[in-house]
Amino acid sequence: MNEMTQEISGVETTLKDWETDQEVRWCPGCGDYAILKAVQRTMPQLGADPKNTVFVSGIGCSSRFPYYMETYGFHTIHGRAPAFATGVKVANPDLDVWLVTGDGDGLSIGGNHLMHVLRRNVNMQIMLFNNEIYGLTKGQASPTSRLGTRSPSTPVGSFDRPINPCSFALGANARFVARGFDVSKKLPEVLKAAHAHQGAAFIEIFQNCIVYNKDVFDGFAAPKGAEDFQLWLEDGEPMLFAGGTKGIALDREALELMVVDVVDGDWEAAGVIVHNVTNRSIAHMLVELPFGEFPMALGVLYDDPRPTYEAAVAEERERATKGKDNNLARLLGSGQTWQVD
């Protein structure tokens, strides 16, 4: 079977079925191109149906995404995409809803809305493109910009402490948190895991802004030479990186993670811990690891489902209407009514 054709039970589509006739318009070299293609390649493998899929976005470079997916879509207002997406999912729980946002759209003006869609656990995939800058409005510092970032809004260097998107998600009680980056060949696997999760699935995707924050992620996301600084997590597997020569262990006295050397592949002797996606405490530690001292933790960091918001809404409706007359005309004509001529 062609790799572009779905292999999971569902609707059979190809890559072309997910591409629109719209000209894709981002800056040449923008990481958004790679993310778009990764999503378009992944959808057939999910057995997804374009007629049952909705992409919702806010405002920003990433928010052009719905124009380029041959599905239903909403390009909404700044920061409010989670509210629109929640309405779509509650109105029709059978729809496959994807939310596309950025570090500015989702974590500044939209931080409150994003928090609530996560804590409510609305069943959708949330892709947050993090380029650590406001790209659409010409390069101002964003909530994730690093200390010292020089931009039109911080000409002498930002002194704001940046927000950590995955820490934010965990703090909002998200039940699925993952990371990837734009040009990674493993990004589709992260997207598949998010789609399989029943509930709000949060994926932070590091995205290179070629114009205003070029190559800021090269330490772990450069096309070549950065593999040793990537810690790709897999449930039930040891936390190894640098070709298996290093790993992550738990200092049980200090209750913090540390890097250890692995000799002759004996990771157990080195004390390397095995990844458990349901361990929330370790997930918190992983997302807070300072890059440089540690590799960048990527893949599925946390995955522990619980009942979804829209399922609870449906149950409430059923309880509230059980045994009651749902004929509006009859209800309006019952009781103390009169007619005015």
Side-chain angles (χ1 to χ4, degrees):
M1 181 175 288
N2 188 294
E3 66 175 275
M4 298 302 178
T5 305
Q6 65 88 21
E7 299 180 1
I8 304 172
S9 60
V11 176
E12 184 171 321
T13 62
T14 67
L15 170 66
K16 294 294 183 182
D17 293 315
W18 297 90
E19 296 177 332
T20 70
D21 60 0
Q22 300 297 299
E23 179 187 0
V24 182
R25 299 182 64 184
W26 284 306
C27 300
C30 176
D32 287 352
Y33 286 97
I35 300 172
L36 173 64
K37 193 57 64 177
V39 172
Q40 290 173 334
R41 289 177 182 272
T42 301
M43 300 303 281
Q45 298 173 32
L46 297 174
D49 184 353
K51 297 178 182 178
N52 200 54
T53 305
V54 185
F55 279 80
V56 183
S57 67
I59 294 296
C61 296
S62 64
S63 295
R64 301 183 63 83
F65 214 87
Y67 294 99
Y68 309 137
M69 296 296 300
E70 190 58 47
T71 65
Y72 291 103
F74 291 92
H75 187 177
T76 69
I77 53 181
H78 206 187
R80 273 64 177 183
F84 283 86
T86 298
V88 170
K89 190 64 179 180
V90 171
N92 188 348
D94 292 332
L95 291 174
D96 188 7
V97 180
W98 294 72
L99 172 60
V100 184
T101 187
D103 46 306
D105 181 61
L107 295 171
S108 185
I109 189 170
N112 186 52
H113 292 280
L114 183 59
M115 175 182 71
H116 292 304
V117 79
L118 292 171
R119 73 169 180 83
R120 285 172 171 157
N121 200 36
V122 185
N123 189 14
M124 66 179 71
Q125 297 71 239
I126 303 163
M127 298 188 295
L128 186 142
F129 298 8
N130 182 12
N131 56 21
E132 297 187 0
I133 209 75
Y134 277 106
L136 185 67
T137 51
K138 305 302 183 285
Q140 298 89 343
S142 85
T144 58
S145 294
R146 303 176 193 187
L147 287 171
T149 297
R150 292 179 178 270
S151 75
S153 60
T154 56
V156 296
S158 174
F159 56 81
D160 277 349
R161 296 281 173 181
I163 190 171
N164 182 319
C166 288
S167 292
F168 173 89
L170 286 168
N173 207 18
R175 309 301 297 185
F176 180 100
V177 177
R179 272 187 184 146
F181 60 91
D182 47 15
V183 297
S184 172
K185 294 180 180 179
K186 296 184 179 182
L187 180 58
E189 296 305 313
V190 176
L191 298 174
K192 291 177 190 177
H195 190 265
H197 176 87
Q198 292 298 301
F202 178 86
I203 316 113
E204 177 186 14
I205 305 176
F206 297 108
Q207 177 255 322
N208 185 30
C209 178
I210 195 73
V211 175
Y212 297 110
N213 214 17
K214 184 181 179 182
D215 301 335
V216 71
F217 302 119
D218 264 8
F220 64 87
K224 294 182 180 179
E227 295 81 5
D228 286 352
F229 304 97
Q230 301 169 9
L231 172 63
W232 282 100
L233 299 162
E234 186 173 344
D235 189 34
E237 296 296 327
M239 297 186 187
L240 299 170
F241 65 102
T245 62
K246 294 182 180 296
I248 301 296
L250 177 64
D251 184 333
R252 299 185 183 279
E253 291 186 6
L255 291 179
E256 59 185 18
L257 300 180
M258 60 183 180
V259 174
V260 293
D261 293 320
V262 177
V263 179
D264 296 329
D266 193 349
W267 57 268
E268 290 180 290
V272 174
I273 58 178
V274 173
H275 185 43
N276 177 0
V277 291
T278 66
N279 191 321
R280 193 175 187 85
S281 297
I282 295 296
H284 273 285
M285 294 183 186
L286 287 168
V287 301
E288 294 287 351
L289 292 178
F291 180 71
E293 300 176 40
F294 292 85
M296 180 58 68
L298 300 162
V300 179
L301 297 106
Y302 182 65
D303 184 358
D304 190 13
R306 70 175 182 188
T308 64
Y309 179 76
E310 67 277 6
V313 170
E315 290 173 5
E316 180 187 55
R317 287 174 178 167
E318 185 176 353
R319 288 196 305 269
T321 59
K322 187 175 182 180
K324 296 182 179 180
D325 189 355
N326 62 0
N327 186 304
L328 182 59
R330 192 160 50 239
L331 288 171
L332 290 174
S334 64
Q336 295 182 343
T337 62
W338 60 92
Q339 179 175 331
V340 178
D341 295 323

